[in-house]
Amino acid sequence: MTILTFSIILLLGAFLAGLVGSLTGLGGGVVVIPLLTLVFHVDIRYAIGAALLASIANSSGAASAYVKEGITNIRLGMFLEIATTVGAVMGAVIAVYTPTNTIAILFGSILLFSAAMTIRKKNQDALQHGSLLAAKLKLNGSYPTAEGIVKYELRNVGAGFSIMTLAGVISGLLGIGSGALKVLAMDTAMHIPFKVSTTTSNFMIGVTAAASAVVYLQRGYMDPAIAFPVVLGVLGGAFLGSRLLSRINPTVLRYLFCVAIVFVAIEMIYNGFQHKF
């Protein structure tokens, strides 16, 4: 395979990753890493390095549009980034000393969890009576809908913060946005409406990835020949996805996406046990 063919396929795959990542809040790494490791047989650490850059690009492309539309809860995102950034640095350091087949098995397991979290019923309703801590930190907010402005309040801030720390560790360890855990923390624990949790997850992913990307860069696990087409593709897909989110029903997309990543997860786990990485 020529370098040009490799770059074109990778660019198209990254575009899909950015599109899916911006629509689901999962980040682009769930597509980029399997593409690089299973199709192109790239070392998983280099794949993670490229995926972290893809997550930064995905967040930059989608988050700007969501912030402009007034859906993202910026104050909440910055508060929870304290937890995810600390966890991301920890995860990145752990990953450097972890066998590649172990990382592959963990990645596959997280993909299965992501699939389960994606198809579960999302919290669509705004909570009207939140916690005192959320009020003191001014984390409550509102977002626009076709019917008007909807206000919501948060609860279980401590539980959400703890889950975010774990999400950061997984992000740094596996190079994925760990959007499933981020959405779990905001949607289930803190009772934030689905659109807000998804868009705020996209806003946070880039900061989390940037923290762990520094460790991979220092260790030499970022190849420009891989990273450049990945970043370009993901950025284009993220911009498109941010414009489609308000116009389409993501239910069908979520189910199709879940079927795809379940197959990828099984393949990653199988290869990990077979020491093929």
Side-chain angles (χ1 to χ4, degrees), residues 34 41 52 80 99 106 125 132 163 170 176 186 205-206 231 249:
H41 304 288
L52 287 170
L80 295 177
L106 287 173
D125 300 322
L132 182 62
I163 298 174
I170 292 174
I176 60 177
M186 290 184 282
I205 281 172
V231 170
N249 186 342

Side-chain angles (χ1 to χ4, degrees), residues 10-22 28 31-32 233-234 236-238 253 257:
L10 191 54
L11 184 68
L12 294 174
F15 181 86
L16 175 63
L19 178 62
V20 172
S22 63
V31 178
V32 170
V234 165
L253 174 67
F257 179 64

Side-chain angles (χ1 to χ4, degrees), residues 59 61-74 144 199-200 203 242:
S59 178
S64 59
Y66 296 143
V67 169
K68 185 178 180 180
E69 292 173 8
I71 303 175
T72 303
N73 188 327
I74 300 177
T199 55
T200 305
F203 173 75
S242 65

